Every structure is written in structure tokens, then in C-alpha cells.
Amino acid sequence: LVPYRAVFPEWASAEIQRLQKLFPPSVYLEHIGSTAVPGLSGKGVIDLLALGGVTRIIGGRTDPTDRFG
């Protein structure tokens, strides 16, 4: 196990931006796992989850990209 590093969210965000170009707008990429939890030790690998055809809630509003499927 490795200790949590504050740079993990930045790494995840950069990877999400890079990978999002490969998916249609209806696919949502989420940073998950131990590196997504501040202060939690883990394996030190950035885990991402791709979700499609789901409704996302952003600031109490439904994500407008959901209309694209």
C-alpha cells in the first residue's frame, strides 16, 4: 500500500480529459477507488469508471448530455 497523495485527483482529471475524447458525450468518466478518497492508503493506481446511459446530478440539476443517449 502507498499513502494518499494530493496529486491523485489532478492525475485522474488529466486522464479523464484525455480519455473523454474517445467516448460520445453520453459517457461519463468518474474517478473511483482509493486514490479518489483523500487520506486513504491504497494501491496508488488511478481507477476510472465509464458510465453510459445514466442520469448524472450536477449541482441539483440533471446533466443535459443525457438527452443524447
Side-chain angles (χ1 to χ4, degrees):
L1 293 177
V2 298
Y4 179 82
R5 294 180 59 189
V7 72
F8 287 156
E10 293 174 40
W11 290 352
S13 179
E15 198 63 16
I16 286 170
Q17 288 178 17
R18 186 179 75 82
L19 290 171
Q20 189 66 61
K21 297 171 189 170
L22 304 174
F23 295 98
S26 61
V27 174
Y28 174 69
L29 297 171
E30 179 72 30
H31 180 202
I32 63 168
S34 60
T35 60
V37 181
L40 185 64
S41 296
K43 61 187 180 303
V45 174
I46 303 296
D47 293 313
L48 302 175
L49 176 66
L51 300 168
V54 298
T55 300
R56 290 188 294 168
I57 303 298
I58 301 175
R61 298 185 318 257
T62 302
D63 180 353
T65 62
D66 287 337
R67 71 176 180 265
F68 298 114

Short mmCIF file of all heavy atoms in Angstrom, two decimals:
data_model
loop_
_atom_site.label_atom_id
_atom_site.label_comp_id
_atom_site.label_asym_id
_atom_site.label_seq_id
_atom_site.Cartn_x
_atom_site.Cartn_y
_atom_site.Cartn_z
N LEU A 1 0.83 -1.19 0.00
CA LEU A 1 0.00 0.00 0.00
C LEU A 1 0.87 1.25 0.00
O LEU A 1 1.97 1.25 0.55
CB LEU A 1 -0.90 0.02 1.23
CG LEU A 1 -1.97 -1.04 1.33
CD1 LEU A 1 -2.72 -0.91 2.65
CD2 LEU A 1 -2.92 -0.98 0.18
N VAL A 2 0.33 2.28 -0.61
CA VAL A 2 1.03 3.56 -0.62
C VAL A 2 0.14 4.60 0.05
O VAL A 2 -1.09 4.50 0.00
CB VAL A 2 1.39 4.01 -2.05
CG1 VAL A 2 2.33 3.01 -2.72
CG2 VAL A 2 0.16 4.21 -2.91
N PRO A 3 0.73 5.61 0.67
CA PRO A 3 -0.09 6.66 1.28
C PRO A 3 -0.76 7.51 0.21
O PRO A 3 -0.29 7.61 -0.92
CB PRO A 3 0.91 7.49 2.09
CG PRO A 3 2.25 7.13 1.59
CD PRO A 3 2.15 5.79 0.91
N TYR A 4 -1.88 8.14 0.59
CA TYR A 4 -2.59 9.04 -0.30
C TYR A 4 -1.68 10.20 -0.69
O TYR A 4 -0.90 10.69 0.11
CB TYR A 4 -3.84 9.60 0.40
CG TYR A 4 -4.61 10.56 -0.47
CD1 TYR A 4 -5.49 10.09 -1.42
CD2 TYR A 4 -4.43 11.93 -0.35
CE1 TYR A 4 -6.19 10.96 -2.24
CE2 TYR A 4 -5.12 12.81 -1.16
CZ TYR A 4 -6.00 12.32 -2.11
OH TYR A 4 -6.68 13.18 -2.91
N ARG A 5 -1.78 10.62 -1.96
CA ARG A 5 -1.03 11.78 -2.45
C ARG A 5 -2.02 12.81 -2.98
O ARG A 5 -2.93 12.47 -3.74
CB ARG A 5 -0.06 11.37 -3.55
CG ARG A 5 1.04 10.44 -3.03
CD ARG A 5 2.00 10.02 -4.09
NE ARG A 5 2.64 11.18 -4.69
CZ ARG A 5 3.42 11.11 -5.77
NH1 ARG A 5 3.64 9.96 -6.36
NH2 ARG A 5 3.96 12.20 -6.27
N ALA A 6 -1.84 14.05 -2.62
CA ALA A 6 -2.75 15.11 -3.03
C ALA A 6 -2.81 15.29 -4.55
O ALA A 6 -3.75 15.89 -5.06
CB ALA A 6 -2.34 16.43 -2.37
N VAL A 7 -1.85 14.77 -5.27
CA VAL A 7 -1.81 14.90 -6.73
C VAL A 7 -2.74 13.90 -7.44
O VAL A 7 -3.02 14.06 -8.62
CB VAL A 7 -0.35 14.79 -7.24
CG1 VAL A 7 0.16 13.36 -7.13
CG2 VAL A 7 -0.21 15.32 -8.63
N PHE A 8 -3.24 12.89 -6.72
CA PHE A 8 -4.09 11.88 -7.35
C PHE A 8 -5.28 12.48 -8.10
O PHE A 8 -5.54 12.09 -9.25
CB PHE A 8 -4.57 10.84 -6.34
CG PHE A 8 -3.51 9.87 -5.87
CD1 PHE A 8 -3.66 9.23 -4.65
CD2 PHE A 8 -2.40 9.58 -6.61
CE1 PHE A 8 -2.71 8.32 -4.20
CE2 PHE A 8 -1.43 8.67 -6.18
CZ PHE A 8 -1.59 8.04 -4.97
N PRO A 9 -6.05 13.42 -7.52
CA PRO A 9 -7.18 13.98 -8.26
C PRO A 9 -6.75 14.71 -9.55
O PRO A 9 -7.45 14.65 -10.56
CB PRO A 9 -7.82 14.96 -7.28
CG PRO A 9 -7.43 14.44 -5.93
CD PRO A 9 -6.04 13.88 -6.13
N GLU A 10 -5.60 15.37 -9.51
CA GLU A 10 -5.09 16.05 -10.71
C GLU A 10 -4.76 15.04 -11.79
O GLU A 10 -5.07 15.26 -12.97
CB GLU A 10 -3.85 16.87 -10.36
CG GLU A 10 -4.11 18.05 -9.46
CD GLU A 10 -2.82 18.73 -9.05
OE1 GLU A 10 -1.91 18.88 -9.89
OE2 GLU A 10 -2.73 19.12 -7.87
N TRP A 11 -4.11 13.95 -11.41
CA TRP A 11 -3.79 12.89 -12.37
C TRP A 11 -5.06 12.31 -12.98
O TRP A 11 -5.14 12.08 -14.18
CB TRP A 11 -2.98 11.79 -11.72
CG TRP A 11 -1.57 12.17 -11.34
CD1 TRP A 11 -0.90 13.32 -11.67
CD2 TRP A 11 -0.67 11.39 -10.57
NE1 TRP A 11 0.36 13.30 -11.14
CE2 TRP A 11 0.53 12.13 -10.45
CE3 TRP A 11 -0.76 10.16 -9.95
CZ2 TRP A 11 1.64 11.65 -9.77
CZ3 TRP A 11 0.35 9.68 -9.26
CH2 TRP A 11 1.53 10.42 -9.17
N ALA A 12 -6.05 12.06 -12.14
CA ALA A 12 -7.32 11.49 -12.61
C ALA A 12 -8.00 12.45 -13.58
O ALA A 12 -8.49 12.04 -14.63
CB ALA A 12 -8.22 11.16 -11.43
N SER A 13 -8.03 13.73 -13.23
CA SER A 13 -8.66 14.72 -14.08
C SER A 13 -7.99 14.80 -15.45
O SER A 13 -8.66 14.86 -16.48
CB SER A 13 -8.63 16.09 -13.39
OG SER A 13 -9.22 17.06 -14.20
N ALA A 14 -6.68 14.78 -15.46
CA ALA A 14 -5.94 14.82 -16.73
C ALA A 14 -6.24 13.59 -17.58
O ALA A 14 -6.44 13.69 -18.79
CB ALA A 14 -4.44 14.93 -16.46
N GLU A 15 -6.31 12.44 -16.95
CA GLU A 15 -6.61 11.20 -17.68
C GLU A 15 -8.04 11.20 -18.19
O GLU A 15 -8.31 10.76 -19.31
CB GLU A 15 -6.34 9.99 -16.78
CG GLU A 15 -6.21 8.70 -17.52
CD GLU A 15 -5.04 8.64 -18.49
OE1 GLU A 15 -4.11 9.47 -18.42
OE2 GLU A 15 -5.06 7.76 -19.37
N ILE A 16 -8.97 11.71 -17.39
CA ILE A 16 -10.37 11.80 -17.82
C ILE A 16 -10.47 12.71 -19.03
O ILE A 16 -11.15 12.38 -20.01
CB ILE A 16 -11.26 12.28 -16.66
CG1 ILE A 16 -11.44 11.15 -15.65
CG2 ILE A 16 -12.61 12.77 -17.18
CD1 ILE A 16 -12.11 11.57 -14.35
N GLN A 17 -9.81 13.84 -19.02
CA GLN A 17 -9.85 14.76 -20.15
C GLN A 17 -9.29 14.11 -21.41
O GLN A 17 -9.83 14.28 -22.50
CB GLN A 17 -9.08 16.04 -19.83
CG GLN A 17 -9.79 16.92 -18.83
CD GLN A 17 -8.99 18.16 -18.49
OE1 GLN A 17 -8.07 18.55 -19.20
NE2 GLN A 17 -9.36 18.80 -17.39
N ARG A 18 -8.23 13.35 -21.25
CA ARG A 18 -7.62 12.67 -22.40
C ARG A 18 -8.54 11.58 -22.94
O ARG A 18 -8.77 11.48 -24.15
CB ARG A 18 -6.27 12.06 -21.98
CG ARG A 18 -5.49 11.46 -23.12
CD ARG A 18 -4.16 10.91 -22.62
NE ARG A 18 -4.31 9.67 -21.90
CZ ARG A 18 -4.43 8.47 -22.49
NH1 ARG A 18 -4.44 8.37 -23.79
NH2 ARG A 18 -4.54 7.37 -21.77
N LEU A 19 -9.11 10.78 -22.05
CA LEU A 19 -9.94 9.65 -22.46
C LEU A 19 -11.33 10.07 -22.94
O LEU A 19 -11.93 9.39 -23.78
CB LEU A 19 -10.08 8.65 -21.31
CG LEU A 19 -8.83 7.89 -20.95
CD1 LEU A 19 -9.05 7.10 -19.66
CD2 LEU A 19 -8.43 6.96 -22.09
N GLN A 20 -11.85 11.16 -22.40
CA GLN A 20 -13.21 11.58 -22.76
C GLN A 20 -13.36 11.80 -24.26
O GLN A 20 -14.42 11.58 -24.82
CB GLN A 20 -13.59 12.85 -22.00
CG GLN A 20 -15.06 13.22 -22.13
CD GLN A 20 -15.98 12.20 -21.47
OE1 GLN A 20 -15.91 11.99 -20.28
NE2 GLN A 20 -16.85 11.59 -22.25
N LYS A 21 -12.29 12.16 -24.92
CA LYS A 21 -12.32 12.38 -26.37
C LYS A 21 -12.63 11.10 -27.15
O LYS A 21 -13.03 11.16 -28.30
CB LYS A 21 -10.98 12.95 -26.82
CG LYS A 21 -10.65 14.30 -26.23
CD LYS A 21 -9.24 14.70 -26.53
CE LYS A 21 -8.87 15.94 -25.73
NZ LYS A 21 -7.47 16.25 -25.80
N LEU A 22 -12.42 9.96 -26.52
CA LEU A 22 -12.65 8.68 -27.18
C LEU A 22 -14.10 8.21 -27.07
O LEU A 22 -14.47 7.24 -27.73
CB LEU A 22 -11.74 7.61 -26.57
CG LEU A 22 -10.25 7.90 -26.60
CD1 LEU A 22 -9.49 6.83 -25.83
CD2 LEU A 22 -9.75 7.99 -28.03
N PHE A 23 -14.90 8.86 -26.24
CA PHE A 23 -16.26 8.43 -25.96
C PHE A 23 -17.27 9.48 -26.42
O PHE A 23 -16.95 10.66 -26.48
CB PHE A 23 -16.45 8.21 -24.46
CG PHE A 23 -15.62 7.09 -23.89
CD1 PHE A 23 -14.43 7.35 -23.25
CD2 PHE A 23 -16.04 5.77 -24.01
CE1 PHE A 23 -13.65 6.32 -22.73
CE2 PHE A 23 -15.29 4.74 -23.49
CZ PHE A 23 -14.10 5.01 -22.85
N PRO A 24 -18.50 9.05 -26.70
CA PRO A 24 -19.55 10.03 -27.00
C PRO A 24 -19.87 10.84 -25.75
O PRO A 24 -19.55 10.43 -24.63
CB PRO A 24 -20.74 9.17 -27.44
CG PRO A 24 -20.49 7.83 -26.85
CD PRO A 24 -18.99 7.68 -26.76
N PRO A 25 -20.54 12.00 -25.92
CA PRO A 25 -20.85 12.85 -24.77
C PRO A 25 -21.71 12.18 -23.70
O PRO A 25 -21.69 12.60 -22.55
CB PRO A 25 -21.60 14.04 -25.39
CG PRO A 25 -21.23 14.03 -26.82
CD PRO A 25 -20.94 12.60 -27.18
N SER A 26 -22.43 11.14 -24.07
CA SER A 26 -23.30 10.48 -23.10
C SER A 26 -22.54 9.60 -22.11
O SER A 26 -23.10 9.14 -21.13
CB SER A 26 -24.35 9.63 -23.81
OG SER A 26 -23.72 8.62 -24.58
N VAL A 27 -21.24 9.38 -22.37
CA VAL A 27 -20.43 8.57 -21.46
C VAL A 27 -19.74 9.49 -20.46
O VAL A 27 -19.12 10.49 -20.82
CB VAL A 27 -19.38 7.74 -22.23
CG1 VAL A 27 -18.44 7.02 -21.27
CG2 VAL A 27 -20.08 6.73 -23.13
N TYR A 28 -19.90 9.14 -19.20
CA TYR A 28 -19.35 9.92 -18.10
C TYR A 28 -18.23 9.13 -17.45
O TYR A 28 -18.41 7.96 -17.12
CB TYR A 28 -20.48 10.21 -17.10
CG TYR A 28 -20.04 10.90 -15.84
CD1 TYR A 28 -19.59 12.21 -15.88
CD2 TYR A 28 -20.09 10.25 -14.62
CE1 TYR A 28 -19.19 12.86 -14.73
CE2 TYR A 28 -19.70 10.89 -13.45
CZ TYR A 28 -19.25 12.19 -13.52
OH TYR A 28 -18.86 12.83 -12.37
N LEU A 29 -17.07 9.74 -17.30
CA LEU A 29 -15.93 9.09 -16.64
C LEU A 29 -15.80 9.62 -15.22
O LEU A 29 -15.83 10.83 -14.98
CB LEU A 29 -14.64 9.36 -17.42
CG LEU A 29 -14.61 8.78 -18.84
CD1 LEU A 29 -13.39 9.28 -19.59
CD2 LEU A 29 -14.63 7.27 -18.80
N GLU A 30 -15.67 8.70 -14.29
CA GLU A 30 -15.61 9.05 -12.86
C GLU A 30 -14.35 8.47 -12.23
O GLU A 30 -13.97 7.32 -12.49
CB GLU A 30 -16.84 8.48 -12.16
CG GLU A 30 -16.90 8.73 -10.68
CD GLU A 30 -17.19 10.18 -10.34
OE1 GLU A 30 -17.87 10.87 -11.11
OE2 GLU A 30 -16.74 10.62 -9.27
N HIS A 31 -13.69 9.26 -11.40
CA HIS A 31 -12.53 8.82 -10.62
C HIS A 31 -13.06 8.04 -9.41
O HIS A 31 -13.83 8.57 -8.61
CB HIS A 31 -11.73 10.05 -10.19
CG HIS A 31 -10.51 9.74 -9.39
ND1 HIS A 31 -9.94 10.69 -8.57
CD2 HIS A 31 -9.74 8.65 -9.27
CE1 HIS A 31 -8.87 10.18 -7.98
NE2 HIS A 31 -8.74 8.93 -8.39
N ILE A 32 -12.65 6.79 -9.29
CA ILE A 32 -13.13 5.93 -8.20
C ILE A 32 -11.94 5.27 -7.50
O ILE A 32 -10.80 5.41 -7.92
CB ILE A 32 -14.09 4.84 -8.73
CG1 ILE A 32 -13.37 3.90 -9.70
CG2 ILE A 32 -15.32 5.46 -9.37
CD1 ILE A 32 -14.15 2.64 -10.03
N GLY A 33 -12.22 4.53 -6.47
CA GLY A 33 -11.19 3.75 -5.79
C GLY A 33 -10.45 4.54 -4.72
O GLY A 33 -10.80 5.68 -4.40
N SER A 34 -9.42 3.94 -4.19
CA SER A 34 -8.70 4.53 -3.05
C SER A 34 -8.06 5.87 -3.37
O SER A 34 -7.99 6.75 -2.51
CB SER A 34 -7.64 3.55 -2.54
OG SER A 34 -6.70 3.26 -3.56
N THR A 35 -7.63 6.08 -4.62
CA THR A 35 -7.00 7.36 -4.96
C THR A 35 -8.01 8.50 -5.04
O THR A 35 -7.63 9.66 -5.10
CB THR A 35 -6.21 7.27 -6.28
OG1 THR A 35 -7.11 6.91 -7.33
CG2 THR A 35 -5.07 6.27 -6.17
N ALA A 36 -9.30 8.18 -5.03
CA ALA A 36 -10.35 9.19 -5.06
C ALA A 36 -10.79 9.61 -3.65
O ALA A 36 -11.62 10.50 -3.50
CB ALA A 36 -11.56 8.67 -5.83
N VAL A 37 -10.22 8.98 -2.63
CA VAL A 37 -10.62 9.25 -1.24
C VAL A 37 -9.44 9.89 -0.50
O VAL A 37 -8.47 9.21 -0.19
CB VAL A 37 -11.05 7.95 -0.52
CG1 VAL A 37 -11.49 8.26 0.90
CG2 VAL A 37 -12.14 7.23 -1.30
N PRO A 38 -9.52 11.21 -0.25
CA PRO A 38 -8.41 11.88 0.44
C PRO A 38 -8.08 11.20 1.77
O PRO A 38 -8.96 10.86 2.56
CB PRO A 38 -8.95 13.29 0.68
CG PRO A 38 -9.96 13.49 -0.40
CD PRO A 38 -10.59 12.14 -0.59
N GLY A 39 -6.78 10.97 1.95
CA GLY A 39 -6.29 10.39 3.20
C GLY A 39 -6.26 8.87 3.25
O GLY A 39 -5.71 8.30 4.18
N LEU A 40 -6.85 8.21 2.25
CA LEU A 40 -6.92 6.75 2.26
C LEU A 40 -5.71 6.15 1.56
O LEU A 40 -5.38 6.52 0.43
CB LEU A 40 -8.20 6.30 1.56
CG LEU A 40 -8.51 4.80 1.57
CD1 LEU A 40 -8.73 4.31 3.00
CD2 LEU A 40 -9.73 4.52 0.71
N SER A 41 -5.03 5.23 2.21
CA SER A 41 -3.94 4.50 1.57
C SER A 41 -4.53 3.50 0.58
O SER A 41 -5.67 3.07 0.72
CB SER A 41 -3.11 3.75 2.60
OG SER A 41 -2.48 4.65 3.48
N GLY A 42 -3.75 3.14 -0.42
CA GLY A 42 -4.24 2.19 -1.42
C GLY A 42 -3.12 1.72 -2.32
O GLY A 42 -1.95 1.88 -2.00
N LYS A 43 -3.50 1.19 -3.45
CA LYS A 43 -2.50 0.63 -4.36
C LYS A 43 -1.78 1.68 -5.19
O LYS A 43 -0.81 1.38 -5.87
CB LYS A 43 -3.14 -0.44 -5.25
CG LYS A 43 -4.24 0.04 -6.14
CD LYS A 43 -4.90 -1.15 -6.83
CE LYS A 43 -6.03 -0.72 -7.73
NZ LYS A 43 -7.09 0.04 -7.12
N GLY A 44 -2.29 2.94 -5.18
CA GLY A 44 -1.61 4.01 -5.89
C GLY A 44 -1.87 4.01 -7.39
O GLY A 44 -1.13 4.62 -8.15
N VAL A 45 -2.92 3.33 -7.83
CA VAL A 45 -3.29 3.28 -9.24
C VAL A 45 -4.59 4.06 -9.41
O VAL A 45 -5.54 3.87 -8.65
CB VAL A 45 -3.48 1.81 -9.70
CG1 VAL A 45 -4.01 1.75 -11.12
CG2 VAL A 45 -2.18 1.05 -9.57
N ILE A 46 -4.62 4.93 -10.42
CA ILE A 46 -5.82 5.72 -10.68
C ILE A 46 -6.85 4.83 -11.35
O ILE A 46 -6.62 4.30 -12.43
CB ILE A 46 -5.50 6.93 -11.59
CG1 ILE A 46 -4.41 7.81 -10.99
CG2 ILE A 46 -6.76 7.73 -11.90
CD1 ILE A 46 -4.76 8.48 -9.70
N ASP A 47 -8.00 4.66 -10.70
CA ASP A 47 -9.10 3.87 -11.26
C ASP A 47 -10.16 4.82 -11.79
O ASP A 47 -10.55 5.78 -11.11
CB ASP A 47 -9.74 2.99 -10.17
CG ASP A 47 -8.80 1.91 -9.67
OD1 ASP A 47 -8.18 1.23 -10.50
OD2 ASP A 47 -8.70 1.75 -8.44
N LEU A 48 -10.63 4.54 -13.01
CA LEU A 48 -11.70 5.32 -13.61
C LEU A 48 -12.83 4.38 -14.00
O LEU A 48 -12.60 3.25 -14.41
CB LEU A 48 -11.19 6.05 -14.86
CG LEU A 48 -10.01 6.99 -14.66
CD1 LEU A 48 -9.55 7.55 -16.00
CD2 LEU A 48 -10.37 8.11 -13.72
N LEU A 49 -14.05 4.88 -13.88
CA LEU A 49 -15.24 4.12 -14.25
C LEU A 49 -15.96 4.88 -15.35
O LEU A 49 -16.18 6.08 -15.24
CB LEU A 49 -16.15 3.98 -13.03
CG LEU A 49 -17.49 3.29 -13.25
CD1 LEU A 49 -17.30 1.82 -13.60
CD2 LEU A 49 -18.34 3.43 -12.00
N ALA A 50 -16.28 4.18 -16.44
CA ALA A 50 -17.04 4.78 -17.54
C ALA A 50 -18.50 4.39 -17.38
O ALA A 50 -18.83 3.21 -17.28
CB ALA A 50 -16.50 4.31 -18.88
N LEU A 51 -19.38 5.40 -17.33
CA LEU A 51 -20.81 5.17 -17.19
C LEU A 51 -21.52 5.72 -18.42
O LEU A 51 -21.22 6.82 -18.87
CB LEU A 51 -21.34 5.89 -15.94
CG LEU A 51 -20.72 5.46 -14.62
CD1 LEU A 51 -21.10 6.44 -13.52
CD2 LEU A 51 -21.18 4.07 -14.27
N GLY A 52 -22.46 4.98 -18.93
CA GLY A 52 -23.24 5.43 -20.07
C GLY A 52 -24.71 5.18 -19.85
O GLY A 52 -25.09 4.20 -19.21
N GLY A 53 -25.53 6.07 -20.38
CA GLY A 53 -26.97 5.89 -20.28
C GLY A 53 -27.51 6.05 -18.88
O GLY A 53 -28.50 5.45 -18.53
N VAL A 54 -26.83 6.85 -18.06
CA VAL A 54 -27.30 7.10 -16.71
C VAL A 54 -27.56 8.59 -16.54
O VAL A 54 -27.04 9.40 -17.28
CB VAL A 54 -26.29 6.62 -15.64
CG1 VAL A 54 -26.08 5.13 -15.74
CG2 VAL A 54 -24.98 7.36 -15.75
N THR A 55 -28.34 8.92 -15.57
CA THR A 55 -28.59 10.32 -15.27
C THR A 55 -27.60 10.78 -14.21
O THR A 55 -27.48 10.18 -13.16
CB THR A 55 -30.03 10.51 -14.75
OG1 THR A 55 -30.93 10.07 -15.76
CG2 THR A 55 -30.31 11.96 -14.42
N ARG A 56 -26.90 11.83 -14.52
CA ARG A 56 -25.98 12.42 -13.56
C ARG A 56 -26.64 13.62 -12.92
O ARG A 56 -27.40 14.34 -13.56
CB ARG A 56 -24.70 12.90 -14.25
CG ARG A 56 -23.83 11.79 -14.76
CD ARG A 56 -22.53 12.34 -15.25
NE ARG A 56 -22.77 13.17 -16.42
CZ ARG A 56 -21.89 13.98 -16.96
NH1 ARG A 56 -20.71 14.11 -16.44
NH2 ARG A 56 -22.17 14.70 -18.02
N ILE A 57 -26.34 13.85 -11.70
CA ILE A 57 -26.84 15.02 -11.00
C ILE A 57 -25.65 15.96 -10.76
O ILE A 57 -24.65 15.57 -10.17
CB ILE A 57 -27.49 14.65 -9.65
CG1 ILE A 57 -28.62 13.65 -9.87
CG2 ILE A 57 -27.97 15.90 -8.93
CD1 ILE A 57 -29.76 14.16 -10.72
N ILE A 58 -25.77 17.17 -11.28
CA ILE A 58 -24.70 18.15 -11.13
C ILE A 58 -25.32 19.39 -10.50
O ILE A 58 -26.15 20.06 -11.12
CB ILE A 58 -24.06 18.50 -12.49
CG1 ILE A 58 -23.48 17.25 -13.14
CG2 ILE A 58 -23.01 19.59 -12.31
CD1 ILE A 58 -22.94 17.47 -14.52
N GLY A 59 -24.95 19.68 -9.29
CA GLY A 59 -25.48 20.85 -8.61
C GLY A 59 -27.00 20.84 -8.52
O GLY A 59 -27.62 21.89 -8.61
N GLY A 60 -27.58 19.66 -8.37
CA GLY A 60 -29.02 19.55 -8.23
C GLY A 60 -29.78 19.53 -9.54
O GLY A 60 -30.99 19.45 -9.56
N ARG A 61 -29.06 19.59 -10.67
CA ARG A 61 -29.71 19.58 -11.99
C ARG A 61 -29.35 18.28 -12.72
O ARG A 61 -28.26 17.75 -12.56
CB ARG A 61 -29.25 20.75 -12.82
CG ARG A 61 -29.61 22.10 -12.22
CD ARG A 61 -29.24 23.23 -13.15
NE ARG A 61 -27.95 23.04 -13.78
CZ ARG A 61 -26.85 23.66 -13.43
NH1 ARG A 61 -26.84 24.49 -12.44
NH2 ARG A 61 -25.71 23.45 -14.08
N THR A 62 -30.23 17.82 -13.57
CA THR A 62 -29.93 16.66 -14.40
C THR A 62 -28.94 17.08 -15.48
O THR A 62 -29.06 18.15 -16.06
CB THR A 62 -31.20 16.12 -15.05
OG1 THR A 62 -32.12 15.79 -14.02
CG2 THR A 62 -30.92 14.89 -15.88
N ASP A 63 -27.98 16.24 -15.77
CA ASP A 63 -26.97 16.52 -16.78
C ASP A 63 -27.62 16.64 -18.15
O ASP A 63 -28.30 15.72 -18.60
CB ASP A 63 -25.94 15.39 -16.77
CG ASP A 63 -24.83 15.60 -17.79
OD1 ASP A 63 -24.90 16.54 -18.60
OD2 ASP A 63 -23.90 14.79 -17.78
N PRO A 64 -27.40 17.75 -18.87
CA PRO A 64 -28.03 17.93 -20.17
C PRO A 64 -27.55 16.95 -21.25
O PRO A 64 -28.23 16.75 -22.24
CB PRO A 64 -27.66 19.38 -20.55
CG PRO A 64 -26.50 19.71 -19.71
CD PRO A 64 -26.62 18.88 -18.46
N THR A 65 -26.39 16.32 -21.07
CA THR A 65 -25.91 15.37 -22.08
C THR A 65 -26.71 14.08 -22.09
O THR A 65 -26.61 13.30 -23.03
CB THR A 65 -24.42 15.03 -21.89
OG1 THR A 65 -24.24 14.39 -20.63
CG2 THR A 65 -23.55 16.27 -21.98
N ASP A 66 -27.52 13.83 -21.07
CA ASP A 66 -28.31 12.60 -21.02
C ASP A 66 -29.29 12.51 -22.19
O ASP A 66 -29.66 11.42 -22.59
CB ASP A 66 -29.06 12.49 -19.69
CG ASP A 66 -28.14 12.15 -18.55
OD1 ASP A 66 -27.06 11.58 -18.81
OD2 ASP A 66 -28.50 12.45 -17.40
N ARG A 67 -29.68 13.63 -22.75
CA ARG A 67 -30.63 13.59 -23.87
C ARG A 67 -30.02 12.96 -25.11
O ARG A 67 -30.72 12.59 -26.04
CB ARG A 67 -31.16 14.98 -24.15
CG ARG A 67 -30.16 15.91 -24.77
CD ARG A 67 -30.83 17.26 -25.10
NE ARG A 67 -29.87 18.17 -25.69
CZ ARG A 67 -29.17 19.07 -25.02
NH1 ARG A 67 -29.33 19.19 -23.72
NH2 ARG A 67 -28.33 19.86 -25.63
N PHE A 68 -28.69 12.84 -25.17
CA PHE A 68 -28.02 12.24 -26.32
C PHE A 68 -27.92 10.72 -26.23
O PHE A 68 -27.39 10.09 -27.11
CB PHE A 68 -26.62 12.83 -26.48
CG PHE A 68 -26.63 14.30 -26.74
CD1 PHE A 68 -26.10 15.17 -25.81
CD2 PHE A 68 -27.19 14.83 -27.90
CE1 PHE A 68 -26.12 16.54 -26.04
CE2 PHE A 68 -27.22 16.19 -28.13
CZ PHE A 68 -26.68 17.05 -27.19
N GLY A 69 -28.39 10.15 -25.14
CA GLY A 69 -28.37 8.69 -25.02
C GLY A 69 -27.24 8.26 -24.20
O GLY A 69 -26.83 7.26 -23.92
#
